[in-house]
Amino acid sequence: MSWMPVHTWTDSPGDAVWNHLRFLSHFNNATRLLQGGLGCSVEREIPEGTVSRKARQLSACIQQAEEYYNAASRATIATSPLLLFYGMLSLAKALVVGNHPTLLLEDVNYHGLKRTKGESDDAPLEEIHLTTDGGVFEEFMKIATGTALPRNAEVRFKDILAALPSVAEFYARY
């Protein structure tokens, strides 16, 4: 799917992004998007009878992500990182379902990264080693970067962030 850029001038960018996402959280809008409506051109064929299932899953992922992010905003530091992670995972699933011609949620039902065994719990976040294992991470990387790491590759968390320069820059700042 090729996207037409959306330019929004706002003092509240988070609210503006969620307003755009909420639009796709409605089944009919998700269906129109998958069929090539809403100002985008579809560059792949979705098999007959799959559009409706994909639209339901796409909209549900966005709704779920918003609930996770809302819950994270009210939670303490003890819980909010986990809620933010699952919100991000739900948005990644929405991207995968919306952009892959055949994959559905049941095809990518796990996140795809495992913490490398034997590593100290005291390691700083950016130095934690992860092992790739397919799932959402692999499909998301294919969409975001055009390629994916091989399965069972061991990488540091900060190396994963470096795959998307804008994310790496944001992480480095904070």
Side-chain angles (χ1 to χ4, degrees):
M1 197 177 286
S2 66
W3 300 89
M4 187 173 77
V6 175
H7 298 283
T8 303
W9 306 106
T10 178
D11 291 329
S12 305
D15 292 338
V17 168
W18 279 111
N19 284 334
H20 289 297
L21 287 170
R22 268 187 219 106
F23 180 79
L24 294 177
S25 74
H26 297 280
F27 172 77
N28 290 338
N29 296 334
T31 301
R32 287 177 46 214
L33 176 79
L34 293 170
Q35 292 172 330
L38 306 180
C40 71
S41 60
V42 177
E43 297 174 356
R44 41 82 185 121
E45 291 284 323
I46 297 175
E48 188 77 26
T50 307
V51 171
S52 183
R53 283 183 71 197
K54 286 176 99 42
R56 245 187 318 286
Q57 291 181 359
L58 172 66
S59 60
C61 285
I62 293 170
Q63 291 169 23
Q64 185 180 59
E66 185 174 24
E67 287 185 25
Y68 278 126
Y69 281 106
N70 286 338
S73 72
R74 295 184 305 277
T76 67
I77 191 69
T79 307
S80 61
L82 185 62
L83 294 168
L84 291 170
F85 170 80
Y86 280 113
M88 177 273 318
L89 182 62
S90 292
L91 290 176
K93 287 178 179 180
L95 282 170
V96 169
V97 168
N99 283 283
H100 194 284
T102 59
L103 287 180
L104 296 165
L105 286 178
E106 54 268 26
D107 300 319
V108 288
N109 59 4
Y110 57 100
H111 56 72
L113 291 171
K114 301 184 287 193
R115 180 123 184 229
T116 303
K117 292 181 182 181
E119 187 168 65
S120 168
D121 287 339
D122 296 333
L125 177 63
E126 60 273 2
E127 295 299 325
I128 288 176
H129 287 81
L130 303 164
T131 304
T132 60
D133 190 25
V136 174
F137 178 73
E138 180 177 314
E139 296 303 327
F140 176 79
M141 289 301 291
K142 288 177 186 174
I143 291 166
T145 67
T147 187
L149 295 168
R151 290 206 182 170
N152 299 313
E154 189 176 302
V155 294
R156 289 179 304 174
F157 179 72
K158 71 179 178 182
D159 294 331
I160 291 172
L161 294 178
L164 298 168
S166 60
V167 174
E169 180 184 322
F170 179 80
Y171 180 79
R173 252 186 291 153
Y174 296 98

